Amino acid sequence: MTEVYLAVYDLSQGMARSLSAQFLGPNHTIDMIPHTALLVFGKEYFFGGGIQSVDPHYFRSMTGRRPVQTERLGTTRVSQGEFDVWCQRTASTKYNAGTYDLLNRNCNHFSHDAALQGLGLPRGVPSWILEVPQRFLSSPMGQMIRPMLEQMQITQISPVQAPPMASAAPVQPTVSSATAAATVSLTGAQNPWQGMSVDTSSSRTTTSSRG
């Protein structure tokens, strides 16, 4: 049995909460622009330019972002090999660079499907996260700001892009000397959820500082 967690990032870095009422109206406020990923098997799985699988510390050091909350989804009996096969199969048909859709097929929909279908969990991404795009676009300003929201979606790890899961012969990412000096040491012994405190009453963890 393997523990599975959902990492939730705020792509607006706090701006949505402070500005959404002003720009979208009081009936359409949103707390964040969420990007989610699954933490399982010591990896962080997410949809961006294809299905990606990287070390959580690597992802956070390359993007400069940390989860604003991490929620325990449960335990899975699916092995890493079985899940990777599911990801490769799904990447060839549903979640790849050409199929991204802001409303119906974004990173949060992948996390939801991966939790329910790929890992066989009883629950996936909370509905309030899945409903954010529609809530945003239902506002008077939503259609005007839609291009901005699309650009904020994480589509690759910059400056280094992780190899897509669907790649037949994955290429190991290369890191420049300047980047390497700033990158934390990534060893198997590290805890991907280090620096987070656990709220046992809600099975949710939160970071000590917001990204």
Side-chain angles (χ1 to χ4, degrees), residues 70 72 196-206:
T70 305
R72 181 182 181 275
M196 299 180 184
S197 58
V198 180
D199 181 353
T200 56
S201 61
S202 63
S203 296
R204 176 177 296 176
T205 64
T206 57

Side-chain angles (χ1 to χ4, degrees), residues 126-137:
S127 60
W128 70 265
I129 291 180
L130 298 175
E131 294 166 359
V132 164
Q134 188 57 56
R135 185 176 181 85
F136 174 84
L137 293 176

Side-chain angles (χ1 to χ4, degrees), residues 4-61:
V4 183
Y5 289 83
L6 179 73
V8 182
Y9 297 82
D10 179 11
L11 298 184
S12 75
Q13 301 189 70
M15 293 180 62
R17 175 172 294 178
S18 61
L19 298 177
S20 62
Q22 176 182 351
F23 287 100
L24 304 181
N27 296 325
H28 302 278
T29 58
I30 55 178
D31 287 338
M32 67 174 73
I33 298 177
H35 163 80
T36 59
L38 292 183
L39 301 173
V40 62
F41 309 120
K43 297 288 186 180
E44 185 152 350
Y45 290 81
F46 65 98
F47 177 43
I51 299 176
Q52 310 281 346
S53 169
V54 297
D55 183 290
H57 288 281
Y58 178 86
F59 176 87
R60 294 163 196 176
S61 66

Side-chain angles (χ1 to χ4, degrees), residues 51 82-95 166:
I51 299 176
E82 291 170 332
F83 184 57
D84 284 348
V85 168
W86 180 89
C87 287
Q88 292 168 355
R89 184 171 61 249
T90 304
S92 68
T93 58
K94 186 174 183 179
Y95 289 106

